[in-house]
Amino acid sequence: MTELEKGPQGRRRGRGARERILGASRQLFGDQGINRTGMDQLCAVAEVSKRTAYQHFTTKDELVAEYLRRFDPDVMSAVFDRTDLTPRERLLAAFELPASGTQELTPMCPYIAAAVELHDPQHPASQYARDYKQAIAARLAETAREAGATHPEQLGEQLALLLDGAAARTRVLNTESFPTAAAIAAVLIDNAIPTTAQR
């Protein structure tokens, strides 16, 4: 028989508390930020007791790090693992982000938002954000190498910087910056890849 637990209003809930906690963290951290979200509010939205929350995540810091891991665990696999595109096309596809479906064009990049809000480079979430951003640059560099770029690491860093800049500018100005970034990316890519290597 499935073990049941009681939520904050005394209602009995089935398993799945961990996913509800992570769902609530995604909603609340995205809407109001990490520091402004307390565990009491998070537990109320997730409909779990604080005891249950701390059974799944021993600290809020651990929860914040897991919240970030859930955003893109495979590092843009929907772009970089596509076999129907050439390496050059995959580099450009990184700038074709899906619409957020909200009033705002795009939410703040959760990795940048966490690093800025937490102020602590040793915080588990700050470390994960740094690892993620390095992984994006590495995947861009790897794809640039496949495309025949003369200096793939340099191109990977340039494109990663362009992606972050487009995301931040889109968020701050609430105006779409990715088409402009994609046009700049195309110039960088074409300048970095010898004509004979372009496929």
Side-chain angles (χ1 to χ4, degrees):
M1 183 176 217
T2 303
E3 182 182 325
L4 296 175
E5 61 176 309
K6 287 189 179 181
Q9 282 82 38
R11 290 180 292 187
R12 294 175 72 80
R13 302 289 308 200
R15 290 186 186 226
R18 182 180 178 86
E19 293 307 313
R20 290 198 309 277
I21 295 164
L22 286 164
S25 70
R26 188 166 186 156
Q27 174 194 334
L28 294 171
F29 293 163
D31 289 349
Q32 63 191 29
I34 294 166
N35 291 335
R36 291 185 59 208
T37 300
M39 287 302 288
D40 288 332
Q41 182 188 21
L42 204 143
C43 289
V45 172
E47 298 185 337
V48 299
S49 66
K50 281 181 83 171
R51 179 178 175 271
T52 297
Y54 284 115
Q55 286 174 340
H56 290 281
F57 302 97
T58 56
T59 64
K60 183 181 174 184
D61 291 350
E62 184 182 317
L63 171 59
V64 174
E66 183 61 22
Y67 148 80
L68 289 180
R69 279 188 205 93
R70 292 294 185 98
F71 270 96
D72 187 14
D74 300 317
V75 189
M76 292 179 67
S77 61
V79 170
F80 294 117
D81 295 344
R82 290 183 64 175
T83 57
D84 60 319
L85 300 178
T86 66
R88 181 186 182 280
E89 290 169 337
R90 288 198 304 272
L91 291 172
L92 288 172
F95 293 85
E96 297 170 5
L97 298 184
S100 64
T102 64
Q103 186 176 4
E104 293 170 338
L105 289 172
T106 185
M108 178 68 167
C109 168
Y111 308 98
I112 294 174
V116 168
E117 192 174 356
L118 296 171
H119 303 291
D120 178 5
Q122 300 309 313
H123 189 287
S126 296
Q127 292 175 352
Y128 185 79
R130 187 167 49 251
D131 291 345
Y132 179 84
K133 290 300 183 179
Q134 290 171 341
I136 288 289
R139 291 213 78 176
L140 287 163
E142 177 186 328
T143 306
R145 187 174 294 105
E146 288 178 47
T150 309
H151 301 288
E153 285 77 16
Q154 180 182 4
L155 181 58
E157 284 294 328
Q158 289 171 336
L159 296 177
L161 179 62
L162 192 55
L163 275 172
D164 285 340
R169 196 162 173 79
T170 296
R171 171 63 173 180
V172 170
L173 300 177
N174 199 35
T175 183
E176 188 54 79
S177 298
F178 281 93
T180 301
I184 296 167
V187 172
L188 289 170
I189 292 164
D190 289 342
N191 286 340
I193 300 172
T195 307
T196 55
Q198 291 186 25
R199 299 190 283 272

